[in-house]
């Protein structure tokens, strides 16, 4: 049977419903302008942009795959689990994303109070950088610092004031990756670990723990991503081949929030087809 979608496919894009800088519709338009023909909107811990992105995709003849990037934590590592084609009304998954977002807002307020003791920054300044549906987080604090003229851009903000060494960092709640994978899978979705082989503090999880994730239903890895190390990619490809997992490639586009461009990494049509065949919670929206 012929695919109902076309490539190239970029399965990791963010709108201003989380920490991107563009509306869901504009994100889809930008992806289309860069030659992408199958897209997934994967805002952090929320699905509120699906309808708008899906409408924009339909108007452009682009296939839309509903997605989300679920926050998780393993030991000290921040782990992001991409979920695709799950049921957004699943009660257990919704309860977890509600908890994550609520704690994220409280954490942001605490960070702003700390920064405000040393810099001209108030919570109101941060809210000015958000949209109605967005969950306030560190990228919005960075945007407020830029708007106040305290730093030049998000990169300077995260390399300086928002870096943990500066003392303003606050932890936030996130489930362990096993829970995240289970929740997505039980909601009919496909769980893919986002950029799992980064360098530095958030380096790759130990292989024995990754094996536990696979046993719990993990669908695959986002291997082709600008933040993954070459050595990490090799290891992940070996694991994926041994377990016949899905391998994706994506841009992690955030508008002007990051230098990443739509379509800079893509997912093969074979892997997109496997993803669609496995997901049962919400169907793709074909043009």
């Amino acid at each position: 049977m012929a695919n109902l979608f076309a490539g190239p496919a970029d399965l990791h894009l963010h709108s201003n419903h989380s920490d991107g800088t563009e509306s869901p519709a504009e994100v889809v338009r930008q992806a289309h302008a860069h030659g992408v023909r199958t897209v997934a909107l994967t805002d952090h811990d929320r699905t509120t942009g699906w309808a708008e992105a899906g409408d924009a995709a339909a108007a452009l003849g682009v296939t839309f795959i509903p997605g989300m990037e679920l926050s998780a934590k393993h030991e000290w590592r921040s782990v992001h689990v991409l979920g695709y084609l799950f049921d957004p009304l699943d009660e257990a998954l919704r309860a977890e994303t509600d908890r994550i977002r609520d704690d994220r807002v409280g954490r942001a307020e605490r960070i702003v109070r700390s920064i405000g003791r040393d810099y001209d920054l108030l919570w109101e300044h941060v809210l000015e950088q958000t949209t109605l549906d967005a969950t306030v987080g560190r990228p919005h604090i960075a945007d407020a610092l830029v708007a106040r003229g305290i730093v030049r851009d998000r990169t300077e903000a995260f390399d300086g004031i928002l870096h943990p060494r500066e003392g303003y960092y606050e932890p936030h709640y996130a489930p362990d990756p096993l829970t995240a994978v289970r929740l997505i899978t039980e909601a009919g979705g496909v769980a893919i670990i986002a950029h799992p082989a980064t360098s530095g503090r958030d380096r790759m999880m130990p292989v024995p723990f990754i094996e536990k994730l696979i046993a719990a239903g993990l669908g695959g890895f986002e291997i082709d991503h600008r933040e993954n190390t070459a050595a990490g990619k090799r290891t992940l490809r070996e694991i994926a081949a041994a377990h016949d997992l899905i391998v994706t490639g994506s841009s992690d586009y955030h508008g002007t929030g990051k230098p990443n461009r739509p379509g800079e990494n893509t997912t093969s049509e074979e892997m997109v087809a496997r993803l669609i065949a496995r997901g049962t919670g919400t169907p793709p929206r074909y043009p």
Side-chain angles (χ1 to χ4, degrees), residues 19-20 23 49 70 96 123 130 147 200 210 218 231 275 287:
D19 56 345
S23 69
L70 184 62
E96 192 69 3
W123 182 242
T130 68
I210 291 175
L218 179 69
L275 188 76

Side-chain angles (χ1 to χ4, degrees), residues 4-263:
L4 298 176
F5 64 90
D10 190 339
L11 304 182
H12 190 167
L13 304 156
H14 292 273
S15 78
N16 57 12
H17 284 230
S18 64
D19 56 345
T21 61
E22 299 166 346
S23 69
E26 182 59 25
V27 168
V28 174
R29 286 192 287 268
Q30 287 294 326
H32 180 267
H34 283 78
V36 177
R37 295 299 177 262
T38 295
V39 304
L41 186 70
T42 54
D43 284 322
H44 291 282
D45 310 309
R46 65 189 312 124
T47 62
T48 50
W50 283 9
E52 182 183 332
D55 288 346
L60 291 168
V62 170
T63 295
F64 175 68
I65 296 180
M68 177 175 70
E69 189 169 10
L70 184 62
S71 302
K73 187 180 297 182
H74 176 251
E75 297 175 343
W76 68 87
R77 301 174 185 85
S78 175
V79 178
H80 292 171
V81 184
L82 292 160
Y84 300 102
L85 303 168
F86 58 87
D87 178 4
L89 301 181
D90 181 85
E91 291 186 5
L93 183 56
R94 287 189 68 177
E96 192 69 3
T97 54
D98 287 347
R99 181 179 179 186
I100 293 169
R101 291 198 309 272
D102 288 346
D103 190 76
R104 192 183 294 275
V105 173
R107 173 225 200 180
E109 288 183 302
R110 294 192 297 273
I111 291 174
V112 172
R113 281 198 298 270
S114 295
I115 295 174
R117 288 194 285 268
D118 299 318
Y119 297 91
D120 180 21
L121 185 71
L122 300 173
W123 182 242
E124 289 75 15
H125 300 147
V126 176
L127 294 180
E128 290 171 357
Q129 303 303 316
T130 68
T131 60
L132 182 62
D133 289 322
T135 299
V136 184
R138 291 198 304 156
H140 302 111
I141 299 173
D143 290 343
L145 290 169
V146 174
R148 303 295 294 170
I150 298 170
V151 297
R152 290 189 301 267
D153 52 32
R154 276 189 183 184
T155 298
E156 183 177 339
F158 278 100
D159 287 345
I161 293 172
L162 292 175
H163 194 282
R165 67 169 174 266
E166 296 300 309
Y168 302 115
Y169 181 83
E170 292 276 349
H172 67 89
Y173 169 76
D176 67 87
L178 283 168
T179 298
V181 168
R182 177 181 57 79
L183 286 170
I184 291 168
T185 303
E186 292 181 355
V190 185
I192 305 289
I193 300 296
H195 39 71
T198 59
S199 60
R201 180 176 172 82
D202 291 333
R203 63 187 179 274
M204 194 170 84
M205 292 176 287
V207 172
F209 185 74
I210 291 175
E211 298 278 355
K212 290 183 179 180
L213 294 177
I214 295 169
L218 179 69
F221 307 118
E222 181 186 60
I223 295 181
D224 290 320
H225 184 287
R226 64 161 59 201
E227 294 179 14
N228 287 331
T229 65
K233 288 180 181 181
R234 288 193 295 270
T235 298
L236 290 169
R237 289 192 193 281
E238 291 172 359
I239 297 172
H243 294 275
D244 193 25
L245 301 180
I246 296 169
V247 172
T248 69
S250 307
S251 66
D252 200 357
Y253 178 64
H254 283 69
T256 59
K258 286 185 175 182
N260 313 40
R261 294 295 93 188

